[in-house]
Amino acid sequence: MRLFIAVNLNIETREHVLRLQSELREQAQSGHYTAPQNLHLTLIFLGECDDWQKEKAVSVLDEVVFEPFDMIVERMGRFRRDRGDIWWAGVRNTPALRTVQQDLFEQLKDASFELEKRRFRPHITLARSIHGEAKPREISSFAEHVTRIDLMVSERIGGRLVYTPIHSINATLR
Ligand code: 2AM
């Protein structure tokens, strides 16, 4: 199974992000758009895991302590790709978000997970394979107060990408 750790969006944030996605739809010629229920911020990509690794990931998560933090969505951007660009809503890499992400990274690494060393560039993917004349625009930032982090499984079911939370951890009360 393919696993990742993510912040799932509350209804307000999802609506907001969906408005950005619809704008893109109007400007782009073609692309694959993230399904509304799949919109999320990835903190760590674990990749292909077996049952034993899944249990280990659950145990590691249960040891991670984090305080509630604000996820600030502040811009639109894209990763250029030959086969069409990946468009995203960019999340500010605040000290609080960095701390949570780094703690997860370190603790999973200590538990022998092989993690990607790519720099953390927090984003919510809006669409892939985008072709056309669209250009990222400035947006007014908005924030969500995050109190939960989820371990997610990613599966293809009937040709569709389905993300399912299989374990969650909550922020400590302040
Ligand atoms: P992305 O949205 O930028 O593609 C589930 O696939 C999640 O894990 C996605 O949010 C994806 O980020 C992220 N991810 C990070 N590294 C990945 C990789 N090497 N392959 C697939 N997904 C990856």
Side-chain angles (χ1 to χ4, degrees), residues 19 59 65 77 103 142:
R19 286 199 288 278
S59 313
V65 175
D103 284 354
F142 55 96

Side-chain angles (χ1 to χ4, degrees), residues 42-45 75 79 88 91-93 98 101-102 105 115-123:
T42 296
L43 297 175
I44 304 273
F45 181 68
R75 65 200 181 102
F79 297 138
W88 37 261
V91 172
R92 190 178 301 167
N93 204 354
R98 252 201 316 271
Q101 199 272 342
Q102 282 173 359
F105 189 96
L115 304 176
E116 293 179 339
K117 292 184 188 68
R118 281 191 286 184
R119 185 164 63 90
F120 178 52
R121 297 176 73 179
H123 63 274

Side-chain angles (χ1 to χ4, degrees), residues 10-11 14 51 70 78-79 90 97 112 119 146 150 159 169:
N10 69 19
I11 290 167
R14 184 176 301 170
D51 279 337
D70 287 330
R78 60 185 158 184
F79 297 138
L97 173 59
S112 313
R119 185 164 63 90
V146 177
D150 299 314
I169 55 169

Side-chain angles (χ1 to χ4, degrees), residues 1-117:
M1 74 201 90
R2 179 180 274 228
L3 299 181
F4 64 102
I5 297 170
V7 173
N8 283 298
L9 313 184
N10 69 19
I11 290 167
E12 291 79 20
T13 308
R14 184 176 301 170
E15 291 297 325
H16 218 126
V17 168
L18 282 172
R19 286 199 288 278
L20 301 177
Q21 194 192 47
S22 339
E23 252 183 58
L24 176 62
R25 246 182 235 273
E26 282 165 20
Q27 294 170 49
Q29 278 155 13
S30 61
H32 296 296
Y33 293 85
T34 307
Q37 68 277 14
N38 283 357
L39 290 163
H40 67 274
L41 165 68
T42 296
L43 297 175
I44 304 273
F45 181 68
L46 292 170
E48 203 54 40
C49 292
D50 57 22
D51 279 337
W52 186 75
Q53 287 171 309
K54 178 185 83 179
E55 290 309 322
K56 199 162 63 163
V58 166
S59 313
V60 170
L61 275 176
D62 282 340
E63 293 297 316
V64 170
V65 175
F66 74 100
E67 294 200 345
F69 64 93
D70 287 330
M71 172 174 70
I72 303 165
V73 183
E74 61 175 2
R75 65 200 181 102
M76 271 173 102
R78 60 185 158 184
F79 297 138
R80 293 293 205 166
R81 296 284 185 276
D82 291 342
R83 284 164 284 129
D85 299 335
I86 298 168
W87 277 67
W88 37 261
V91 172
R92 190 178 301 167
N93 204 354
T94 56
L97 173 59
R98 252 201 316 271
T99 300
V100 176
Q101 199 272 342
Q102 282 173 359
D103 284 354
L104 284 165
F105 189 96
E106 292 304 327
Q107 296 194 41
L108 287 160
K109 206 169 61 155
D110 288 349
S112 313
F113 280 94
E114 279 185 27
L115 304 176
E116 293 179 339
K117 292 184 188 68

